[in-house]
Amino acid sequence: MRIGVFDSGIGGQAVARDLQKAFPAAEMLIVDDHEHVPYGTRDSEEILELTVAAIQPLLNKKCDVIVIACNTATSVAIETLRKTYPAQKFIGLEPMVKPAPAQSKSGVIAVYATPATLKSERYNHAKQLYAKNVKIVEPDCSDWATLIEDNKIDRSHIAAVAKQCIDASADVVILGCTHYHWIKEEIKQALNGKAIVLEPTDAIVARVRELLHL
Ligand code: DGL
């Protein structure tokens, strides 16, 4: 089995690491777009163009499934990718606004994601559909992907965002960008037990199994 994984940057490696644990015999092909990361501060047309160009090596290698391990690219491009390449199976990663509300007691959830994801039609449609009855806090994480790429994120950035969420009574935090998977433990520590952290790894593993009939 060959699993292709795409992200603008190092978020894909975090997802690929978890997929490889779940599927030890799978061949993982990881592609990023180091030249153009971050995607999250670009406009939709550009993100779509860059994503289509970047995944060509994965399409050429005939992956059994391609995981778009980038919430930003998924938000903007997944529908076009499915239409353009109907024979290719794709799995996209998206902020988990569907399961989150049921896990919140306070009725406030927070989504850590890039500006492009937060602006996207797809994300806003999902909020309307699944999270109409909760308040959603969307802290400014616009420079996080770059800081994480450069290994320059520190506790003060993470603590400031955690404080904003806790002050707003959020008790569920969604990691809506795969770069943030690398700092999940630091994010949890900063939230200090006041909010749980959701990220999509288990759901992606389950979806790979389902899609490939494993
Ligand atoms: N890792 C990507 C995501 O999941 C975004 C990082 C970027 O801005 O390129 O959204």
Side-chain angles (χ1 to χ4, degrees), residues 7-9 11 37-41 69-73 114 117 145 176-179:
D7 179 43
S8 55
V37 67
Y39 278 14
T41 46
C70 177
N71 293 257
T72 308
T114 68
T117 298
C177 170
T178 50
H179 277 68

Side-chain angles (χ1 to χ4, degrees), residues 6-12 33 36-42 68-75 93 112-117 141-142 144-146 149 175-181:
F6 165 69
D7 179 43
S8 55
I10 61 171
D33 188 4
H36 299 105
V37 67
Y39 278 14
T41 46
R42 296 175 187 272
I68 304 295
C70 177
N71 293 257
T72 308
T74 300
S75 302
L93 267 70
Y112 292 12
T114 68
T117 298
C141 299
S142 52
W144 278 27
T146 303
E149 283 283 323
L175 300 192
C177 170
T178 50
H179 277 68
Y180 314 162
H181 292 204

Side-chain angles (χ1 to χ4, degrees), residues 13 30 37 46 57 90 120 130 134 139 141 143 145 167-169 178 190 208:
Q13 292 166 34
I30 308 170
V37 67
E46 208 182 355
F90 289 101
S120 70
Y130 303 117
V134 291
C141 299
D143 55 358
D167 287 351
S169 303
T178 50
V208 171

Side-chain angles (χ1 to χ4, degrees), residues 96-107:
M96 300 168 74
V97 288
K98 186 175 177 185
Q103 305 207 43
S104 173
K105 292 195 181 75
S106 66

Side-chain angles (χ1 to χ4, degrees), residues 25 29 65 109 120 135 166 183:
L29 295 181
V65 63
I109 66 177
S120 70
K135 185 179 163 203
I166 293 165
I183 55 164

Side-chain angles (χ1 to χ4, degrees), residues 1-145:
M1 168 170 69
R2 182 177 287 159
I3 303 179
V5 177
F6 165 69
D7 179 43
S8 55
I10 61 171
Q13 292 166 34
V15 174
R17 172 200 59 185
D18 292 333
L19 285 171
Q20 185 80 79
K21 262 188 230 154
F23 306 106
E27 179 192 356
M28 309 292 303
L29 295 181
I30 308 170
V31 160
D32 64 27
D33 188 4
H34 195 69
E35 199 183 327
H36 299 105
V37 67
Y39 278 14
T41 46
R42 296 175 187 272
D43 65 33
S44 330
E45 288 89 70
E46 208 182 355
I47 294 167
L48 176 60
E49 252 173 53
L50 291 172
T51 301
V52 169
I55 65 165
Q56 293 306 313
L58 298 177
L59 292 163
N60 293 339
K61 291 278 186 181
K62 308 253 173 289
C63 296
D64 296 290
V65 63
I66 295 178
V67 178
I68 304 295
C70 177
N71 293 257
T72 308
T74 300
S75 302
V76 169
I78 194 79
E79 281 168 41
T80 307
L81 294 181
R82 289 191 172 122
K83 273 189 211 137
T84 313
Y85 307 105
Q88 176 66 59
K89 292 186 170 96
F90 289 101
I91 296 177
L93 267 70
E94 305 185 64
M96 300 168 74
V97 288
K98 186 175 177 185
Q103 305 207 43
S104 173
K105 292 195 181 75
S106 66
V108 183
I109 66 177
V111 179
Y112 292 12
T114 68
T117 298
L118 297 176
K119 253 197 306 207
S120 70
E121 256 175 58
R122 195 174 169 90
Y123 166 72
N124 282 285
H125 182 65
K127 277 204 307 194
Q128 272 304 308
L129 214 55
Y130 303 117
K132 251 206 320 236
N133 299 322
V134 291
K135 185 179 163 203
I136 302 191
V137 182
E138 294 165 347
D140 180 5
C141 299
S142 52
D143 55 358
W144 278 27

